[in-house]
Amino acid sequence: MAKLYASKSPEVTARERRNGERARKIAPQGMVLLKNGGSLPFKNVKTLAAFGSGIRRTIKGGTGSGDVNTRTVVNVQQGLEEAGYTIVSNDWLDLHDKNCQEASEAFTARIKKLFEQQGMKAFGEILSNPYKDPEVPLITSEHLGTKADAALYVIARTSGEGADRHPVPGDYELTENEKQNIEALSRVYDKIVVVLNVGGVIDTKYFRACPAVDAILLMSQAGNFSGYALADALSGKNSPSGHLTTTWAENYTDYPSALTFSHMNGNTDDEYYTDGIYVGYRYFDTFNVTPAYPFGYGLSYTTFDIHTDEVAINGADVVVKVTVKNTGAVYSGREVVQVYYSAPNDNGPEKPYQELAGFAKTKELAPGESQTLLIRFAAASMASYCEKYASYVLSGGRYYIRVGSSSRSTHIAAAIELSENKAVSVLQNKVQSDVELELIHPDCAPYTYAGEADEKAAAPVLTLDPDSIQTETITYSQAPEEMTTDKDFVITLDDVISGKADLKELVAQLTIEEMANLTVGAARGGGFEATSTIGLASNAVPGAAGDTTSMLIESRHIPNLVLADGPAGLRLSTHFVAGPDGTPIPGLSENPFDELINMGKEKPQRPDDAVDYYQYCTAIPIATLLAQTWDPDAVEAAGDIVGSEMEEFGVHLWLAPGMNIHRNPLCGRNFEYYSEDPLVAGICAAADTRGVQKHPGCGTTIKHFCLNNSEDNRNFINAHCSERAIREIYAKGFEIAVKTAQPLSLMSSYNLVNGEHAANKYDTLTSLLRDEWGFEGFVMTDWETTGSPFHNASDKKYPTSDAAGCIKAGNDLTEPGNAHDVEVIIRSVCSGDGAGGIQFAEEGIRYPITKAELQLCAYRILKVVKKIVESRG
């Protein structure tokens, strides 16, 4: 019988209250004040005319595996009323609720019919076409009959896995009703506050052009205490201090991938990364395209002065000393200081106008108060990857160090002179593009500002000694050797922990069948029809995404690991029913996915001796909001919230954080990801990991590695990208997280990378991840990479990934697992024929693997299992 960690009491726990309040305090630190003519914070405001889709139907986070099943969601109206404000627009809000209720019932009826007709295949429809609220009703004169002290309009947008967004009204663009509603408010109110309850970029031209819109606040999606957190920000109780981690363009077509991204050109089989390294601000600055809001931008209720005191070279590091002063007279606040560098562009690979090197955030500064910050970064981090020499190289010449509060407010603080080219890392080209890419190149002068030339001329020049930079040369793995043992007793994990045997000796005793089962998730019975295929595989923790095998518990004392979705908290069943022996009863849990699976089926009879269990978790702010805090301590605190709940409910691995790059604003899962900049993404993922992994037996699973930057046809899309762009942009964040935090696991992505499935790509999963970066954990696939009933490969240009190919590549665990995956691995194992040749069990296998390769994957999984068991005592 599985041990159940869930509570038998439905009452709100002290942990729920504590973690909810912690999340509430974090959220305003990542809310971004985009505009403020004086309407915020609210002063002498007691009544509010509150309209918009996000007032009552506040979105806490995105859909799909990024969702969190919480006890409740505090909406904006509840948060404002709790803070003492009176809402005078309930008639309009009631009308919108009625329309949404009718639309939701119609959607549910349609999906129920699909399940009756198609079975589990209907789930693909839910991912690609999820429910969305209908258009908001128009505001009429009757709705404006009661004049309030202030007007508030909250725009809400949602997205999720399985489908990308569209540049159309109701998604990226505003609807006509939303525009007309703002106009209706402007006829009554001189100043309107607009709040954006969105997970990604939307078009803001209309708001910025409307004189009556006095303030714009990017609330983002702040978790299940969203309403409280927003009320804190609007009232000034907890001032917003966020800065953008993604460039918000003036027009969607300003993004370099706008017309070719995902479905935009009608081709979702192949994605050509012709923008190369020019992603986000690297593009906007280098190609001199003016954004609506630049990367790093954010206002405050007060003002700040940023003064660079000194730039110094300390060994192989650059240290920037900056003093920040709150120059306002009324409000306290926090400011973000960003340090960029401009590399010499007259030799070596072409460089962007500037790149982020480091950042820091002040404490809460009272009016007149100052704080001095030290921002340190390695000089070697300014190197560019040169494909010609397969090396990271610091180009000889002059580097300009820039300091500011956004990418468009930087000023030159110093220059660093390097006398010669210096190799930082000597590598091998491992991820070259499989096609000839027509990469974009700047054909104009980059962005500049008045006085930049004078700043360059006046900048103090520091000399960087090339000998202070060590050159790292990587040695790559060879074929693994088979593990052996001379022990004649049955080795268990207990024996390994006590020192009676080595872990490799335990692996050496395992049969091929045992190792195949260990390297495939625990979903078995029914193959593709198993309900676990959509992330409900755990018996010990109902609603969790999956488990490793429990087949070795008795024979080898190897426990199974429980894996739960993220990245905005744990996604578990809030309520489930189990028999007296602790076995959960299928069909009686409260979980949206479970309810979909059983839609149209008769609910099973509840036994008289059944026991109720509860798993209420906290929805923390989405990853983008966390990144917008620019505060690793705040991100770590969010990870700590999740880690505490993992420890309580018996979860070992959190399938998060997501850290793919915001290449294009239409990616359906951008809310799960941190930034367009890999440094921000890497630092945030490392902080999240530290927060989780301070809890015994808890680990993160950084994902999705790599190039999972779109959702349409995500299982079969082939991402064609240059080696330099992969290394400098799309893999760099993963590298930072691995080297600085060592997450226990990593998830490979669905897509193909330059012609080969990411889960089957040795060069990324072994050469980069392990040989170059020193990753010590194990790698798992994303769910159903080897096939499923709701993404059929028969009509696709590219095939599914292969379970044996995962083993060969160093993708240790295939999830959620099915009997076919186990069979493929067993059939694919080959052995020497005694003459240096290879013998195969069967013909026609895609990826022949050796026993040693299978052992290595089993060893890496067991290494993490051992670490978790030891840490939990």
Side-chain angles (χ1 to χ4, degrees):
M1 131 179 183
K3 179 180 179 180
L4 298 178
Y5 292 83
S7 171
K8 294 182 181 179
S9 171
E11 300 300 318
V12 178
T13 65
R15 183 266 307 160
E16 284 183 81
R17 288 189 289 268
R18 179 177 64 254
N19 285 350
E21 285 300 320
R22 293 177 69 192
R24 173 181 180 172
K25 291 179 181 178
I26 292 169
Q29 299 176 54
M31 294 182 183
V32 183
L33 188 61
L34 298 174
K35 178 182 180 181
N36 191 19
S39 293
L40 293 177
F42 286 143
K43 300 178 288 290
N44 302 316
V45 172
K46 294 182 180 180
T47 58
L48 283 167
F51 296 91
S53 51
I55 296 293
R56 285 188 183 166
R57 306 183 69 81
T58 309
I59 298 172
K60 72 180 189 301
T63 62
S65 62
D67 196 6
V68 180
N69 307 321
T70 59
R71 181 187 294 271
T72 186
V73 177
V74 178
N75 65 31
V76 169
Q77 180 169 8
Q78 291 169 321
L80 291 170
E81 289 178 340
E82 181 86 9
Y85 298 99
T86 299
I87 306 299
V88 302
S89 47
N90 286 300
D91 287 350
W92 185 92
L93 296 171
D94 290 341
L95 176 59
H96 185 46
D97 278 350
K98 177 178 177 292
N99 294 343
C100 292
Q101 179 65 29
E102 292 174 353
S104 178
E105 290 173 356
F107 177 83
T108 301
R110 183 173 70 85
I111 295 301
K112 181 178 179 179
K113 187 174 182 179
L114 279 176
F115 267 95
E116 291 171 351
Q117 295 172 343
Q118 303 177 10
M120 284 299 295
K121 290 182 179 180
F123 186 72
E125 174 69 12
I126 298 171
L127 283 178
S128 59
N129 292 294
Y131 169 78
K132 291 186 179 180
D133 283 343
E135 170 71 296
V136 292
L138 290 172
I139 298 173
T140 66
S141 57
E142 288 79 8
H143 299 134
L144 296 171
T146 303
K147 183 72 182 290
D149 296 329
L152 177 70
Y153 200 91
V154 180
I155 299 282
R157 294 287 190 271
T158 189
S159 63
E161 67 172 320
D164 288 315
R165 298 173 57 199
H166 292 259
V168 297
D171 193 345
Y172 186 85
E173 305 285 345
L174 297 184
T175 68
E176 285 305 311
N177 280 18
E178 287 171 333
K179 294 177 182 178
Q180 289 186 43
N181 284 345
I182 295 294
E183 290 179 10
L185 284 174
S186 69
R187 290 193 289 268
V188 178
Y189 296 92
D190 295 332
K191 296 182 178 180
I192 303 167
V193 174
V194 169
V195 171
L196 306 179
N197 176 211
V198 298
V201 179
I202 68 169
D203 185 80
T204 60
K205 287 194 297 296
Y206 179 81
F207 298 134
R208 289 181 286 111
C210 179
V213 175
D214 189 63
I216 306 173
L217 176 66
L218 173 59
M219 170 193 180
S220 192
Q221 294 167 344
N224 61 308
F225 272 30
S226 286
Y228 292 149
L230 179 64
D232 292 342
L234 294 175
S235 66
K237 178 181 178 181
N238 196 344
S239 299
S241 59
H243 285 239
L244 296 177
T245 56
T246 296
T247 304
W248 285 46
E250 178 69 18
N251 302 290
Y252 169 71
T253 52
D254 290 341
Y255 294 100
S257 60
L259 300 181
T260 59
F261 174 78
S262 185
H263 53 72
M264 290 300 294
N265 62 355
N267 177 11
T268 58
D269 290 323
D270 297 274
E271 184 76 10
Y272 299 97
Y273 284 61
T274 56
D275 41 350
I277 60 168
Y278 295 112
V279 178
Y281 69 89
R282 289 171 170 82
Y283 170 78
F284 284 85
D285 293 346
T286 308
F287 287 71
N288 195 18
V289 178
T290 302
Y293 298 108
F295 174 84
Y297 176 84
L299 301 176
S300 172
Y301 291 156
T302 187
T303 55
F304 299 95
D305 175 70
I306 297 175
H307 181 267
T308 304
D309 303 321
E310 181 185 23
V311 178
I313 295 176
N314 186 346
D317 290 346
V318 178
V319 182
V320 181
K321 183 179 179 182
V322 180
T323 297
V324 181
K325 182 179 181 179
N326 181 345
T327 55
V330 180
Y331 299 108
S332 297
R334 302 181 69 190
E335 178 62 302
V336 175
V337 177
Q338 302 159 36
V339 175
Y340 297 77
Y341 65 89
S342 295
N345 224 341
D346 51 1
N347 73 80
E350 65 185 56
K351 318 293 196 310
Y353 170 77
Q354 62 181 348
E355 298 183 75
L356 186 68
F359 57 87
K361 193 171 188 178
T362 67
K363 64 180 182 180
E364 189 83 14
L365 297 177
E369 187 178 7
S370 298
Q371 182 182 5
T372 299
L373 304 171
L374 289 178
I375 301 172
R376 177 187 294 265
F377 63 93
S381 68
M382 299 189 293
S384 300
Y385 188 75
C386 177
E387 294 185 29
K388 180 179 179 181
Y389 296 104
S391 300
Y392 273 101
V393 178
L394 279 169
S395 299
R398 182 162 291 187
Y399 294 75
Y400 290 102
I401 305 301
R402 302 172 181 271
V403 179
S405 60
S406 77
S407 63
R408 288 294 176 100
S409 69
T410 61
H411 291 278
I412 294 171
I416 295 176
E417 193 76 34
L418 180 65
S419 60
E420 60 189 50
N421 291 347
K422 177 68 179 184
V424 171
S425 298
V426 179
L427 311 169
Q428 294 177 13
N429 288 328
K430 291 291 184 179
V431 285
Q432 289 182 302
S433 176
D434 58 333
V435 297
E436 189 71 30
L437 289 171
E438 296 182 9
L439 298 176
I440 62 173
H441 300 282
D443 56 0
C444 60
Y447 159 77
T448 188
Y449 53 89
E452 182 179 22
D454 293 338
E455 288 179 0
K456 287 182 176 180
V461 180
L462 310 174
T463 300
L464 176 62
D465 181 2
D467 292 336
S468 69
I469 309 292
Q470 293 186 342
T471 301
E472 174 189 43
T473 301
I474 296 297
T475 301
Y476 292 90
S477 296
Q478 302 299 311
E481 295 183 0
E482 192 169 315
M483 300 176 191
T484 60
T485 181
D486 58 3
K487 296 286 193 305
D488 57 3
F489 62 91
V490 176
I491 301 171
T492 68
L493 186 61
D494 295 336
D495 296 325
V496 174
I497 292 173
S498 67
K500 291 175 62 178
D502 182 81
L503 185 59
K504 290 184 178 180
E505 293 183 301
L506 168 57
V507 173
Q509 283 192 352
L510 296 179
T511 66
I512 289 173
E513 289 79 7
E514 286 175 320
M515 289 187 289
N517 279 287
L518 180 60
T519 58
V520 173
R524 289 292 189 275
F528 288 155
E529 294 304 314
T531 59
S532 60
T533 57
I534 60 168
L536 298 170
S538 176
N539 283 325
V541 187
D547 292 65
T548 57
T549 186
S550 57
M551 293 180 178
L552 300 175
I553 293 177
E554 291 188 12
S555 62
R556 299 288 182 172
H557 300 177
I558 297 171
N560 60 301
L561 300 182
V562 178
L563 292 56
D565 268 324
L570 294 181
R571 183 166 68 84
L572 306 177
S573 296
T574 55
H575 166 241
F576 65 91
V577 178
D581 64 348
T583 303
I585 302 172
L588 292 181
S589 70
E590 290 181 14
N591 182 305
F593 280 0
D594 196 23
E595 291 164 10
L596 286 170
I597 293 168
N598 294 291
M599 187 176 287
K601 299 179 183 178
E602 186 174 344
K603 205 162 190 175
Q605 189 72 27
R606 177 190 170 99
D608 293 338
D609 55 357
V611 182
D612 292 283
Y613 291 87
Y614 303 90
Q615 300 176 126
Y616 290 109
C617 297
T618 305
I620 61 174
I622 61 171
T624 303
L625 186 151
L626 292 179
Q628 288 170 179
T629 68
W630 291 74
D631 184 352
D633 290 341
V635 182
E636 183 172 335
D640 185 38
I641 290 172
V642 177
S644 70
E645 297 182 359
M646 292 172 67
E647 195 174 355
E648 176 179 338
F649 292 120
V651 174
H652 303 105
L653 294 176
W654 185 39
L655 304 182
M659 50 185 307
N660 293 102
I661 294 297
H662 291 178
R663 175 181 178 235
N664 184 288
L666 299 187
C667 174
R669 295 184 85 168
N670 273 352
F671 71 95
E672 295 189 43
Y673 308 144
Y674 296 114
S675 176
E676 68 187 28
D677 183 80
L679 178 67
V680 174
I683 288 175
C684 287
D688 234 340
T689 295
R690 286 191 295 272
V692 168
Q693 295 189 175
K694 67 175 62 173
H695 293 271
C698 299
T700 61
T701 306
I702 59 175
K703 65 181 187 182
H704 311 85
F705 187 60
C706 58
L707 294 171
N708 187 177
N709 304 297
S710 62
E711 286 298 297
D712 285 359
N713 196 35
R714 60 181 177 167
N715 293 73
F716 304 100
I717 192 168
N718 189 359
H720 307 278
C721 188
S722 72
E723 175 124 10
R724 183 185 179 193
I726 291 175
R727 287 184 175 275
E728 290 190 18
I729 305 296
Y730 300 103
K732 179 60 70 175
F734 290 92
E735 179 182 0
I736 293 168
V738 165
K739 288 182 174 179
T740 60
Q742 277 295 344
L744 290 189
S745 59
L746 173 145
M747 183 185 292
S748 58
S749 54
Y750 283 121
N751 53 280
L752 291 82
V753 175
N754 288 330
E756 190 167 25
H757 272 281
N760 295 159
K761 197 167 186 68
Y762 179 92
D763 286 333
T764 52
L765 300 181
T766 296
S767 299
L768 267 65
L769 182 61
R770 294 185 169 103
D771 297 338
E772 295 184 14
W773 307 344
F775 179 60
E776 298 173 1
F778 73 80
V779 177
M780 71 179 76
T781 67
D782 207 334
W783 264 230
E784 300 292 1
T785 59
T786 55
S788 89
F790 44 88
H791 44 72
N792 191 345
S794 61
D795 60 346
K796 300 296 183 180
K797 180 177 179 179
Y798 300 104
T800 62
S801 68
D802 183 87
C806 291
I807 300 298
K808 194 165 205 65
N811 194 125
D812 309 291
L813 178 65
T814 298
E815 281 288 359
N818 57 63
H820 180 67
D821 291 332
V822 175
E823 179 187 346
V824 167
I825 292 172
I826 293 172
R827 288 175 48 236
S828 299
V829 175
C830 54
S831 60
D833 63 1
I838 297 293
Q839 276 186 326
F840 302 106
E842 290 186 33
E843 296 296 326
I845 57 177
R846 287 172 62 187
Y847 289 90
I849 56 176
T850 66
K851 182 179 179 181
E853 289 171 329
L854 182 57
Q855 284 180 328
L856 185 56
C857 290
Y859 172 78
R860 287 190 289 241
I861 293 171
L862 290 179
K863 188 177 175 184
V864 173
V865 173
K866 175 176 177 285
K867 186 173 184 176
I868 287 174
V869 169
E870 288 177 320
S871 65
R872 288 200 173 177

